[in-house]
Amino acid sequence: MTETEIEHVRRPGTIRIRLAAPRPDRVTLAALALIAVSLVFKAHVLSRSYFIEDDFLFVGDAHEHGLTWDYLMRVHKGHLMPGALLLVWVVSRAAAYNWFLVCTVMLALQAAASAGMLVLLRRLFGGRTGILIPLAVYVFAPLTVPALSWWSAALNAVPLQVAIVFSLAAHVRFAQTGDTRHAWRGLYWALFGMAFSTKGVFLPFVTFAVVTAYLGSEGGWVRSTVREVRTHTRIWLTYAGVLAAYAVLYLAQQGTAGDEGAGAPKGDVTAGLLGWMLGKTFPTGVVGGPLNWGGLAGTGGLSDPSSPFVVGSWLTIAVVIALTCVYRRHAWRAWLIAAAFVLVADAAPTVLARGRYTDLVGAETRYVADAALIAAICLALAFLPVRGEERAMRRPYPDVMPLVAALATFAVVGMSIASITSYGGTLVVGDRIRAYLDTARASLAAVPAGAQIYTRPVPDYAVLPWNGERRLTSRVLTPLADEGLRRRMRDPAPTDKPYVIDDTGRLVPVKGIYGYLDGAEEGSCYPLKDGAVSFPVESLGGPEAVGWLRYTSERPVTVEVSLGSASTRMDLPATAQERPVYFPHPGVGQGMRVTVPDGLCLKAVAFGAVVPGP
């Protein structure tokens, strides 16, 4: 039964109504199976990954700020991404450092992007079997997996892919029906993409290019472009206004990026970076590579294809382009769109943001993750006639073409699965960081009442040193503490027995100070000059700077320690036995002066960073 049927049964006056259940066709079922299998492989990779690097910075910031304009609109390492920061805030406040929750959210977004790709392909080409090829190329693309496995990268890359497919799908429906509601939905999806990634600004250009190249009336591309602008002036003027507003907002917020924003690239670095990205990483990635991963970073392997595979990839791409241009009219338009996207949306921003550092950035596939989606869409446009398109083909494909295409797709998917699997083996730091975080969680849950926890950097394998104060335990680990302990971790008080979190995540007493150390002669006190003692201490300030005194006192006293323009006052108890006291000191400069009241005997002084005890 395929339609609603009304059946008269034997009893007079009785009618039975049967409603036909929707039955997905075989192409849809096969597409859903491809998506499901791809998500299984991606879930396996995610199970081997864990929080690292910027993930800790994001979670720490989310617990230090409310949902304010300043928090959402700050530029992080070149990215204006209020949507991503909002998502981090919600997820982190719900359950800090819960990898299962993060994986669930990211896989749900990846599933949405894959489903959106299917929707887009069906709207463009109908339910023909050929749409399974570009769908498989995208959902198994190895280029997208490293970005998915690192939360900080996934926050940009995956929602952008969602925005691309649904914005294009909306505009396809608009072109097919003329209902402007779909055009505005496409704009909303573009705004969604911009909220998560600065690359979202290129989505309107992709949409305009696809619409004018394949969804307009017959004729030249220039004529179609002019006609589209004249016919839908309001829509595209709105897009232009949105892009202008975004540009103004981004420039206005550039001051929040510090020295991590865009900068003038170096010539030699740029040449090497583009050579890797455009010559090796991208071409091998779109055909199922790189197969090999090398140069292990904390976030996983870098693309390291063999030279024969690079050559084979370029030959494959050349053959595909040539075949489509021979048989399909306007195939060259799709390849021009793909090439322009890789150059303008991926290569240029990467050079501006990372072209000052190292050319190995070009081997990081996350910078071209979105290009895998664009390449798959353009592959479909270059091979298949769009629904309703007249005179789409120059000549019919040979009868053997479906078999060749199927075998080529099987080969690409097979290599993609091999690349994804081998990439999972490069995620070697996750278990170590998980153990550190689990130990820290347990330690903070069992902190002695009133304990003061001094800050120090988390291990380098979790957050690299160039992140400065953002990698301190007082920022990274406070989301695991209750509110009272969180305050003591961020602003610890002077104490004779401070604690720190060591490199294994354990809470241990401070053993001493690494830095300046001096002591009075045995059995004596420091001689005073104008009621104070000065020491040649040099400090750069910051939360890690800690002073230490050892003293005796006949009565309770107040001591003042000055360094630079900052002073710290401490109330010390009377003690006949030598007693230490540790205290954070924010001063910046040279020369530390300790004011010594009557009755206090100052025995020793130290200044520097705390050292964990055994």
Side-chain angles (χ1 to χ4, degrees), residues 7-16:
E7 179 184 356
H8 293 270
V9 295
R10 292 183 177 180
R11 286 186 299 171
T14 302
I15 297 177
R16 179 183 299 159

Side-chain angles (χ1 to χ4, degrees), residues 86-312:
L86 173 62
L87 181 58
V88 170
W89 196 93
V90 172
V91 171
S92 299
R93 292 296 183 110
Y97 297 124
N98 186 316
W99 187 243
F100 178 78
L101 177 59
V102 166
C103 291
T104 301
V105 172
M106 289 299 106
L107 280 175
L109 286 170
Q110 185 64 69
S114 301
M117 178 65 163
L118 174 58
V119 171
L120 172 62
L121 292 173
R122 288 192 67 99
R123 287 186 181 178
L124 279 170
F125 309 107
R128 65 187 71 184
T129 306
I131 66 173
L132 296 177
I133 294 176
L135 179 67
V137 169
Y138 166 61
V139 299
F140 287 100
L143 290 178
T144 65
V145 174
L148 175 65
S149 66
W150 183 18
W151 190 27
S152 296
L155 287 166
N156 301 135
V158 184
L160 177 60
Q161 294 168 41
V162 175
I164 289 172
V165 290
F166 281 107
S167 182
L168 281 172
H171 273 277
V172 171
R173 180 55 58 87
F174 169 56
Q176 293 169 343
T177 66
D179 189 343
T180 56
R181 290 178 302 173
H182 297 293
W184 298 123
R185 287 171 188 164
L187 173 62
Y188 301 149
W189 279 113
L191 287 170
F192 176 83
M194 294 179 203
F196 283 86
S197 173
T198 51
K199 288 185 179 181
V201 299
F202 297 106
L203 176 51
F205 297 99
V206 174
T207 302
F208 185 79
V210 171
V211 167
T212 56
Y214 292 100
L215 302 179
S217 302
E218 284 294 310
W221 198 355
V222 174
R223 184 183 303 172
S224 176
T225 299
V226 173
R227 186 185 303 112
E228 177 66 22
V229 172
R230 287 178 176 175
T231 306
H232 304 120
T233 305
R234 182 185 174 193
I235 292 171
W236 297 113
L237 278 179
T238 304
Y239 267 108
V242 167
L243 292 176
Y246 185 93
V248 170
L249 178 62
Y250 186 86
L251 292 175
Q253 296 300 116
Q254 268 292 83
T256 63
D259 59 354
E260 296 177 334
K266 297 179 180 178
D268 55 340
V269 175
T270 298
L273 188 158
L274 293 177
W276 269 100
M277 175 186 284
L278 303 180
K280 298 179 181 180
T281 302
F282 175 74
T284 58
V286 293
V287 299
L291 296 179
N292 298 319
W293 304 87
L296 294 184
T299 54
L302 304 177
S303 177
D304 188 24
S306 65
S307 296
F309 190 68
V310 172
V311 173

Side-chain angles (χ1 to χ4, degrees), residues 224-597:
S224 176
T225 299
V226 173
R227 186 185 303 112
E228 177 66 22
V229 172
R230 287 178 176 175
T231 306
H232 304 120
T233 305
R234 182 185 174 193
I235 292 171
W236 297 113
L237 278 179
T238 304
Y239 267 108
V242 167
L243 292 176
Y246 185 93
V248 170
L249 178 62
Y250 186 86
L251 292 175
Q253 296 300 116
Q254 268 292 83
T256 63
D259 59 354
E260 296 177 334
K266 297 179 180 178
D268 55 340
V269 175
T270 298
L273 188 158
L274 293 177
W276 269 100
M277 175 186 284
L278 303 180
K280 298 179 181 180
T281 302
F282 175 74
T284 58
V286 293
V287 299
L291 296 179
N292 298 319
W293 304 87
L296 294 184
T299 54
L302 304 177
S303 177
D304 188 24
S306 65
S307 296
F309 190 68
V310 172
V311 173
S313 299
W314 275 113
L315 288 175
T316 301
I317 293 171
V319 168
V320 170
I321 292 175
L323 277 175
T324 55
C325 289
V326 166
Y327 290 97
R328 166 86 161 99
R329 294 180 69 239
H330 307 321
W332 64 271
R333 297 179 181 179
W335 299 125
L336 182 59
I337 293 171
F341 185 89
V342 174
L343 290 172
V344 177
D346 285 336
T350 304
V351 167
L352 290 175
R354 300 289 182 264
R356 294 168 287 169
Y357 306 116
T358 172
D359 57 5
L360 282 178
V361 168
E364 294 190 54
T365 61
R366 61 191 174 97
Y367 292 111
V368 287
D370 45 13
L373 171 59
I374 297 297
I377 294 171
C378 291
L379 174 67
L381 290 169
F383 258 109
L384 302 173
V386 175
R387 293 171 68 176
E389 184 180 3
E390 299 179 0
R391 298 186 301 115
M393 307 300 295
R394 298 183 189 276
R395 55 183 63 84
Y397 286 123
D399 293 339
V400 74
M401 182 62 78
L403 176 61
V404 172
L407 292 176
T409 304
F410 278 120
V412 169
V413 170
M415 289 188 295
S416 297
I417 291 174
S419 294
I420 293 171
T421 303
S422 63
Y423 176 78
T426 70
L427 297 171
V428 296
V429 183
D431 290 341
R432 192 177 181 188
I433 298 176
R434 184 181 284 107
Y436 170 81
L437 212 55
D438 288 346
T439 303
R441 192 190 306 268
S443 297
L444 294 174
V447 169
Q452 303 296 326
I453 302 179
Y454 283 23
T455 193
R456 63 186 300 269
V458 299
D460 291 355
Y461 58 79
V463 185
L464 291 170
W466 62 54
N467 289 289
E469 293 182 7
R470 293 176 297 179
R471 65 189 291 257
L472 299 179
T473 56
S474 55
R475 292 175 62 96
V476 171
L477 299 182
T478 47
L480 300 175
D482 59 44
E483 186 57 37
L485 179 57
R486 195 176 298 147
R487 286 195 298 269
R488 298 201 301 276
M489 292 176 69
R490 290 173 179 165
D491 187 21
T495 180
D496 62 336
K497 190 179 181 180
Y499 292 86
V500 291
I501 302 291
D502 70 8
D503 285 345
T504 68
R506 295 178 304 156
L507 183 71
V508 297
V510 170
K511 182 173 69 174
I513 297 287
Y514 178 77
Y516 176 84
L517 176 64
D518 193 20
E521 293 183 6
E522 188 172 351
S524 64
C525 309
Y526 278 107
L528 305 182
K529 182 178 181 180
D530 297 328
V533 186
S534 296
F535 302 92
V537 169
E538 184 173 357
S539 173
L540 298 177
E544 290 183 80
V546 174
W548 172 85
L549 307 178
R550 192 171 74 240
Y551 73 98
T552 61
S553 183
E554 301 171 355
R555 58 184 177 81
V557 295
T558 298
V559 172
E560 183 174 3
V561 181
S562 302
L563 201 163
S565 61
S567 295
T568 297
R569 295 174 63 89
M570 298 177 289
D571 295 324
L572 304 181
T575 175
Q577 302 295 323
E578 292 187 8
R579 179 188 179 105
V581 59
Y582 293 83
F583 55 95
H585 200 294
V588 178
Q590 295 180 339
M592 184 174 74
R593 186 173 188 270
V594 182
T595 301
V596 181

